[in-house]
PDB file of all heavy atoms in Angstrom:
ATOM      1  N   ARG A   3     155.061 165.779 155.573  1.00 74.00           N
ATOM      2  CA  ARG A   3     154.667 166.998 154.883  1.00 74.00           C
ATOM      3  C   ARG A   3     153.731 166.682 153.719  1.00 74.00           C
ATOM      4  O   ARG A   3     152.795 167.421 153.435  1.00 74.00           O
ATOM      5  CB  ARG A   3     155.938 167.672 154.392  1.00 74.00           C
ATOM      6  CG  ARG A   3     155.776 169.072 154.027  1.00 74.00           C
ATOM      7  CD  ARG A   3     157.163 169.627 153.745  1.00 74.00           C
ATOM      8  NE  ARG A   3     157.062 171.019 153.447  1.00 74.00           N
ATOM      9  CZ  ARG A   3     158.051 171.744 153.036  1.00 74.00           C
ATOM     10  NH1 ARG A   3     159.242 171.193 152.900  1.00 74.00           N
ATOM     11  NH2 ARG A   3     157.903 172.995 152.771  1.00 74.00           N
ATOM     12  N   PHE A   5     151.610 164.206 153.520  1.00 71.00           N
ATOM     13  CA  PHE A   5     150.274 163.891 154.029  1.00 71.00           C
ATOM     14  C   PHE A   5     149.487 165.154 154.392  1.00 71.00           C
ATOM     15  O   PHE A   5     148.287 165.215 154.162  1.00 71.00           O
ATOM     16  CB  PHE A   5     150.363 162.963 155.253  1.00 71.00           C
ATOM     17  CG  PHE A   5     150.626 161.532 154.889  1.00 71.00           C
ATOM     18  CD1 PHE A   5     151.736 160.868 155.393  1.00 71.00           C
ATOM     19  CD2 PHE A   5     149.772 160.842 154.044  1.00 71.00           C
ATOM     20  CE1 PHE A   5     151.968 159.544 155.054  1.00 71.00           C
ATOM     21  CE2 PHE A   5     150.006 159.528 153.706  1.00 71.00           C
ATOM     22  CZ  PHE A   5     151.120 158.867 154.203  1.00 71.00           C
ATOM     23  N   ARG A   6     150.154 166.142 154.942  1.00 74.00           N
ATOM     24  CA  ARG A   6     149.474 167.414 155.224  1.00 74.00           C
ATOM     25  C   ARG A   6     148.964 168.055 153.941  1.00 74.00           C
ATOM     26  O   ARG A   6     147.842 168.554 153.890  1.00 74.00           O
ATOM     27  CB  ARG A   6     150.417 168.370 155.949  1.00 74.00           C
ATOM     28  CG  ARG A   6     150.587 168.069 157.393  1.00 74.00           C
ATOM     29  CD  ARG A   6     151.340 169.191 158.041  1.00 74.00           C
ATOM     30  NE  ARG A   6     151.890 168.750 159.321  1.00 74.00           N
ATOM     31  CZ  ARG A   6     152.915 169.284 159.908  1.00 74.00           C
ATOM     32  NH1 ARG A   6     153.536 170.297 159.350  1.00 74.00           N
ATOM     33  NH2 ARG A   6     153.324 168.825 161.055  1.00 74.00           N
ATOM     34  N   LEU A   8     148.272 166.519 151.172  1.00 77.00           N
ATOM     35  CA  LEU A   8     147.169 165.695 150.668  1.00 77.00           C
ATOM     36  C   LEU A   8     145.886 165.941 151.443  1.00 77.00           C
ATOM     37  O   LEU A   8     144.806 166.032 150.838  1.00 77.00           O
ATOM     38  CB  LEU A   8     147.565 164.209 150.749  1.00 77.00           C
ATOM     39  CG  LEU A   8     146.523 163.218 150.236  1.00 77.00           C
ATOM     40  CD1 LEU A   8     146.322 163.429 148.735  1.00 77.00           C
ATOM     41  CD2 LEU A   8     146.977 161.801 150.502  1.00 77.00           C
ATOM     42  N   GLN A   9     145.967 166.110 152.754  1.00 78.00           N
ATOM     43  CA  GLN A   9     144.774 166.394 153.545  1.00 78.00           C
ATOM     44  C   GLN A   9     144.162 167.723 153.157  1.00 78.00           C
ATOM     45  O   GLN A   9     142.952 167.862 153.035  1.00 78.00           O
ATOM     46  CB  GLN A   9     145.119 166.415 155.044  1.00 78.00           C
ATOM     47  CG  GLN A   9     145.316 165.028 155.619  1.00 78.00           C
ATOM     48  CD  GLN A   9     145.700 165.109 157.086  1.00 78.00           C
ATOM     49  OE1 GLN A   9     146.164 166.153 157.551  1.00 78.00           O
ATOM     50  NE2 GLN A   9     145.523 164.015 157.793  1.00 78.00           N
ATOM     51  N   ARG A  10     144.991 168.736 152.955  1.00 80.00           N
ATOM     52  CA  ARG A  10     144.485 170.037 152.528  1.00 80.00           C
ATOM     53  C   ARG A  10     143.803 169.944 151.162  1.00 80.00           C
ATOM     54  O   ARG A  10     142.728 170.497 150.965  1.00 80.00           O
ATOM     55  CB  ARG A  10     145.637 171.036 152.448  1.00 80.00           C
ATOM     56  CG  ARG A  10     145.563 172.049 153.556  1.00 80.00           C
ATOM     57  CD  ARG A  10     146.554 173.144 153.334  1.00 80.00           C
ATOM     58  NE  ARG A  10     147.499 173.056 154.439  1.00 80.00           N
ATOM     59  CZ  ARG A  10     148.779 173.257 154.372  1.00 80.00           C
ATOM     60  NH1 ARG A  10     149.344 173.576 153.225  1.00 80.00           N
ATOM     61  NH2 ARG A  10     149.553 173.155 155.419  1.00 80.00           N
ATOM     62  N   GLN A  11     144.417 169.231 150.260  1.00 87.00           N
ATOM     63  CA  GLN A  11     143.855 169.082 148.918  1.00 87.00           C
ATOM     64  C   GLN A  11     142.526 168.320 148.961  1.00 87.00           C
ATOM     65  O   GLN A  11     141.572 168.696 148.270  1.00 87.00           O
ATOM     66  CB  GLN A  11     144.838 168.350 147.996  1.00 87.00           C
ATOM     67  CG  GLN A  11     146.051 169.147 147.657  1.00 87.00           C
ATOM     68  CD  GLN A  11     145.722 170.401 146.887  1.00 87.00           C
ATOM     69  OE1 GLN A  11     144.821 170.414 146.072  1.00 87.00           O
ATOM     70  NE2 GLN A  11     146.463 171.465 147.127  1.00 87.00           N
ATOM     71  N   LEU A  12     142.447 167.278 149.766  1.00 87.00           N
ATOM     72  CA  LEU A  12     141.194 166.530 149.890  1.00 87.00           C
ATOM     73  C   LEU A  12     140.098 167.391 150.506  1.00 87.00           C
ATOM     74  O   LEU A  12     138.942 167.322 150.090  1.00 87.00           O
ATOM     75  CB  LEU A  12     141.404 165.257 150.717  1.00 87.00           C
ATOM     76  CG  LEU A  12     142.125 164.117 150.022  1.00 87.00           C
ATOM     77  CD1 LEU A  12     142.367 162.973 151.005  1.00 87.00           C
ATOM     78  CD2 LEU A  12     141.372 163.642 148.824  1.00 87.00           C
ATOM     79  N   GLY A  13     140.452 168.216 151.465  1.00 87.00           N
ATOM     80  CA  GLY A  13     139.482 169.129 152.079  1.00 87.00           C
ATOM     81  C   GLY A  13     138.924 170.108 151.056  1.00 87.00           C
ATOM     82  O   GLY A  13     137.727 170.368 151.005  1.00 87.00           O
ATOM     83  N   ILE A  15     138.849 169.689 147.779  1.00 90.00           N
ATOM     84  CA  ILE A  15     138.062 168.945 146.791  1.00 90.00           C
ATOM     85  C   ILE A  15     136.688 168.617 147.351  1.00 90.00           C
ATOM     86  O   ILE A  15     135.670 168.812 146.666  1.00 90.00           O
ATOM     87  CB  ILE A  15     138.817 167.664 146.381  1.00 90.00           C
ATOM     88  CG1 ILE A  15     140.032 168.024 145.556  1.00 90.00           C
ATOM     89  CG2 ILE A  15     137.893 166.730 145.592  1.00 90.00           C
ATOM     90  CD1 ILE A  15     140.960 166.866 145.286  1.00 90.00           C
ATOM     91  N   CYS A  18     134.576 171.810 147.524  1.00 92.00           N
ATOM     92  CA  CYS A  18     134.108 172.218 146.191  1.00 92.00           C
ATOM     93  C   CYS A  18     132.982 171.325 145.683  1.00 92.00           C
ATOM     94  O   CYS A  18     132.016 171.803 145.086  1.00 92.00           O
ATOM     95  CB  CYS A  18     135.262 172.207 145.198  1.00 92.00           C
ATOM     96  SG  CYS A  18     136.434 173.530 145.483  1.00 92.00           S
ATOM     97  N   LEU A  19     133.082 170.029 145.925  1.00 92.00           N
ATOM     98  CA  LEU A  19     132.017 169.116 145.521  1.00 92.00           C
ATOM     99  C   LEU A  19     130.715 169.427 146.258  1.00 92.00           C
ATOM    100  O   LEU A  19     129.633 169.436 145.664  1.00 92.00           O
ATOM    101  CB  LEU A  19     132.417 167.660 145.766  1.00 92.00           C
ATOM    102  CG  LEU A  19     133.411 167.081 144.772  1.00 92.00           C
ATOM    103  CD1 LEU A  19     133.852 165.696 145.225  1.00 92.00           C
ATOM    104  CD2 LEU A  19     132.822 167.041 143.401  1.00 92.00           C
ATOM    105  N   ILE A  21     129.762 172.343 147.608  1.00 90.00           N
ATOM    106  CA  ILE A  21     129.204 173.593 147.108  1.00 90.00           C
ATOM    107  C   ILE A  21     128.608 173.397 145.719  1.00 90.00           C
ATOM    108  O   ILE A  21     127.543 173.943 145.422  1.00 90.00           O
ATOM    109  CB  ILE A  21     130.314 174.681 147.087  1.00 90.00           C
ATOM    110  CG1 ILE A  21     130.676 175.068 148.530  1.00 90.00           C
ATOM    111  CG2 ILE A  21     129.879 175.899 146.318  1.00 90.00           C
ATOM    112  CD1 ILE A  21     131.893 175.967 148.626  1.00 90.00           C
ATOM    113  N   ILE A  23     127.261 170.618 144.480  1.00 88.00           N
ATOM    114  CA  ILE A  23     126.006 169.873 144.575  1.00 88.00           C
ATOM    115  C   ILE A  23     124.897 170.792 145.079  1.00 88.00           C
ATOM    116  O   ILE A  23     123.779 170.789 144.560  1.00 88.00           O
ATOM    117  CB  ILE A  23     126.182 168.650 145.511  1.00 88.00           C
ATOM    118  CG1 ILE A  23     127.033 167.599 144.795  1.00 88.00           C
ATOM    119  CG2 ILE A  23     124.836 168.066 145.911  1.00 88.00           C
ATOM    120  CD1 ILE A  23     127.446 166.449 145.693  1.00 88.00           C
ATOM    121  N   VAL A  29     119.477 174.583 145.005  1.00 79.00           N
ATOM    122  CA  VAL A  29     119.039 175.957 144.722  1.00 79.00           C
ATOM    123  C   VAL A  29     118.044 176.020 143.564  1.00 79.00           C
ATOM    124  O   VAL A  29     116.992 176.635 143.674  1.00 79.00           O
ATOM    125  CB  VAL A  29     120.261 176.881 144.514  1.00 79.00           C
ATOM    126  CG1 VAL A  29     119.832 178.253 144.041  1.00 79.00           C
ATOM    127  CG2 VAL A  29     121.056 176.985 145.804  1.00 79.00           C
ATOM    128  N   TRP A  32     114.464 174.942 144.623  1.00 82.00           N
ATOM    129  CA  TRP A  32     113.687 175.962 145.331  1.00 82.00           C
ATOM    130  C   TRP A  32     113.225 177.054 144.383  1.00 82.00           C
ATOM    131  O   TRP A  32     112.126 177.595 144.538  1.00 82.00           O
ATOM    132  CB  TRP A  32     114.513 176.547 146.479  1.00 82.00           C
ATOM    133  CG  TRP A  32     114.580 175.600 147.615  1.00 82.00           C
ATOM    134  CD1 TRP A  32     115.647 174.873 148.005  1.00 82.00           C
ATOM    135  CD2 TRP A  32     113.515 175.224 148.502  1.00 82.00           C
ATOM    136  NE1 TRP A  32     115.345 174.077 149.060  1.00 82.00           N
ATOM    137  CE2 TRP A  32     114.026 174.277 149.390  1.00 82.00           C
ATOM    138  CE3 TRP A  32     112.181 175.617 148.612  1.00 82.00           C
ATOM    139  CZ2 TRP A  32     113.235 173.699 150.390  1.00 82.00           C
ATOM    140  CZ3 TRP A  32     111.416 175.051 149.598  1.00 82.00           C
ATOM    141  CH2 TRP A  32     111.945 174.115 150.467  1.00 82.00           C
ATOM    142  N   TRP A  34     112.392 176.659 141.272  1.00 85.00           N
ATOM    143  CA  TRP A  34     111.232 176.143 140.551  1.00 85.00           C
ATOM    144  C   TRP A  34     109.989 176.196 141.408  1.00 85.00           C
ATOM    145  O   TRP A  34     108.884 176.502 140.922  1.00 85.00           O
ATOM    146  CB  TRP A  34     111.480 174.700 140.067  1.00 85.00           C
ATOM    147  CG  TRP A  34     112.255 174.662 138.796  1.00 85.00           C
ATOM    148  CD1 TRP A  34     113.539 174.242 138.637  1.00 85.00           C
ATOM    149  CD2 TRP A  34     111.813 175.099 137.511  1.00 85.00           C
ATOM    150  NE1 TRP A  34     113.913 174.380 137.336  1.00 85.00           N
ATOM    151  CE2 TRP A  34     112.870 174.894 136.599  1.00 85.00           C
ATOM    152  CE3 TRP A  34     110.613 175.626 137.028  1.00 85.00           C
ATOM    153  CZ2 TRP A  34     112.767 175.211 135.272  1.00 85.00           C
ATOM    154  CZ3 TRP A  34     110.514 175.953 135.692  1.00 85.00           C
ATOM    155  CH2 TRP A  34     111.576 175.742 134.815  1.00 85.00           C
ATOM    156  N   GLY A  40     104.364 181.384 142.183  1.00 94.00           N
ATOM    157  CA  GLY A  40     104.013 182.698 141.624  1.00 94.00           C
ATOM    158  C   GLY A  40     103.084 182.584 140.437  1.00 94.00           C
ATOM    159  O   GLY A  40     102.168 183.385 140.259  1.00 94.00           O
ATOM    160  N   ILE A  42     100.883 180.180 139.904  1.00 94.00           N
ATOM    161  CA  ILE A  42      99.553 179.814 140.398  1.00 94.00           C
ATOM    162  C   ILE A  42      98.845 181.018 140.977  1.00 94.00           C
ATOM    163  O   ILE A  42      97.651 181.231 140.723  1.00 94.00           O
ATOM    164  CB  ILE A  42      99.680 178.674 141.442  1.00 94.00           C
ATOM    165  CG1 ILE A  42     100.105 177.376 140.729  1.00 94.00           C
ATOM    166  CG2 ILE A  42      98.369 178.457 142.193  1.00 94.00           C
ATOM    167  CD1 ILE A  42     100.461 176.267 141.692  1.00 94.00           C
ATOM    168  N   PHE A  47      94.689 185.341 140.368  1.00 89.00           N
ATOM    169  CA  PHE A  47      94.256 186.731 140.245  1.00 89.00           C
ATOM    170  C   PHE A  47      93.608 186.998 138.899  1.00 89.00           C
ATOM    171  O   PHE A  47      92.622 187.756 138.813  1.00 89.00           O
ATOM    172  CB  PHE A  47      95.431 187.675 140.484  1.00 89.00           C
ATOM    173  CG  PHE A  47      95.692 187.963 141.933  1.00 89.00           C
ATOM    174  CD1 PHE A  47      96.853 187.525 142.534  1.00 89.00           C
ATOM    175  CD2 PHE A  47      94.767 188.641 142.700  1.00 89.00           C
ATOM    176  CE1 PHE A  47      97.101 187.758 143.871  1.00 89.00           C
ATOM    177  CE2 PHE A  47      95.002 188.895 144.041  1.00 89.00           C
ATOM    178  CZ  PHE A  47      96.190 188.446 144.625  1.00 89.00           C
ATOM    179  N   CYS A  48      94.110 186.404 137.840  1.00 87.00           N
ATOM    180  CA  CYS A  48      93.501 186.585 136.513  1.00 87.00           C
ATOM    181  C   CYS A  48      92.092 186.018 136.501  1.00 87.00           C
ATOM    182  O   CYS A  48      91.174 186.632 135.955  1.00 87.00           O
ATOM    183  CB  CYS A  48      94.348 185.913 135.435  1.00 87.00           C
ATOM    184  SG  CYS A  48      95.847 186.787 135.053  1.00 87.00           S
ATOM    185  N   MET A  50      90.108 185.622 139.094  1.00 84.00           N
ATOM    186  CA  MET A  50      89.246 186.474 139.923  1.00 84.00           C
ATOM    187  C   MET A  50      88.888 187.766 139.214  1.00 84.00           C
ATOM    188  O   MET A  50      87.773 188.263 139.343  1.00 84.00           O
ATOM    189  CB  MET A  50      89.948 186.789 141.262  1.00 84.00           C
ATOM    190  CG  MET A  50      89.977 185.620 142.201  1.00 84.00           C
ATOM    191  SD  MET A  50      90.523 185.976 143.875  1.00 84.00           S
ATOM    192  CE  MET A  50      91.776 187.193 143.703  1.00 84.00           C
ATOM    193  N   HIS A  52      88.546 188.276 135.962  1.00 80.00           N
ATOM    194  CA  HIS A  52      87.680 188.034 134.817  1.00 80.00           C
ATOM    195  C   HIS A  52      86.341 187.414 135.219  1.00 80.00           C
ATOM    196  O   HIS A  52      85.487 187.179 134.384  1.00 80.00           O
ATOM    197  CB  HIS A  52      88.373 187.161 133.794  1.00 80.00           C
ATOM    198  CG  HIS A  52      89.523 187.828 133.157  1.00 80.00           C
ATOM    199  ND1 HIS A  52      89.499 189.096 132.636  1.00 80.00           N
ATOM    200  CD2 HIS A  52      90.818 187.399 132.954  1.00 80.00           C
ATOM    201  CE1 HIS A  52      90.667 189.402 132.134  1.00 80.00           C
ATOM    202  NE2 HIS A  52      91.497 188.405 132.326  1.00 80.00           N
ATOM    203  N   ASN A  54      82.887 187.865 136.814  1.00 69.00           N
ATOM    204  CA  ASN A  54      82.071 189.042 137.106  1.00 69.00           C
ATOM    205  C   ASN A  54      80.933 188.781 138.108  1.00 69.00           C
ATOM    206  O   ASN A  54      80.167 189.689 138.385  1.00 69.00           O
ATOM    207  CB  ASN A  54      81.468 189.571 135.802  1.00 69.00           C
ATOM    208  CG  ASN A  54      82.518 190.169 134.914  1.00 69.00           C
ATOM    209  OD1 ASN A  54      83.488 190.706 135.400  1.00 69.00           O
ATOM    210  ND2 ASN A  54      82.317 190.084 133.603  1.00 69.00           N
ATOM    211  N   HIS A  55      80.745 187.602 138.622  1.00 59.00           N
ATOM    212  CA  HIS A  55      79.636 187.378 139.533  1.00 59.00           C
ATOM    213  C   HIS A  55      80.049 187.426 141.002  1.00 59.00           C
ATOM    214  O   HIS A  55      79.456 186.810 141.841  1.00 59.00           O
ATOM    215  CB  HIS A  55      78.860 186.088 139.206  1.00 59.00           C
ATOM    216  CG  HIS A  55      79.700 184.855 139.088  1.00 59.00           C
ATOM    217  ND1 HIS A  55      80.227 184.473 137.888  1.00 59.00           N
ATOM    218  CD2 HIS A  55      80.122 183.953 139.992  1.00 59.00           C
ATOM    219  CE1 HIS A  55      80.918 183.363 138.071  1.00 59.00           C
ATOM    220  NE2 HIS A  55      80.859 183.026 139.341  1.00 59.00           N
TER     221      HIS A  55
END
Side-chain angles (χ1 to χ4, degrees):
R3 197 172 183 187
F5 282 122
R6 281 189 198 156
L8 182 64
Q9 284 178 341
R10 251 189 245 142
Q11 291 297 325
L12 285 175
I15 290 170
C18 289
L19 284 173
I21 290 172
I23 288 171
V29 172
W32 285 107
W34 278 110
I42 291 171
F47 276 114
C48 286
M50 286 190 323
H52 293 311
N54 291 329
H55 52 269

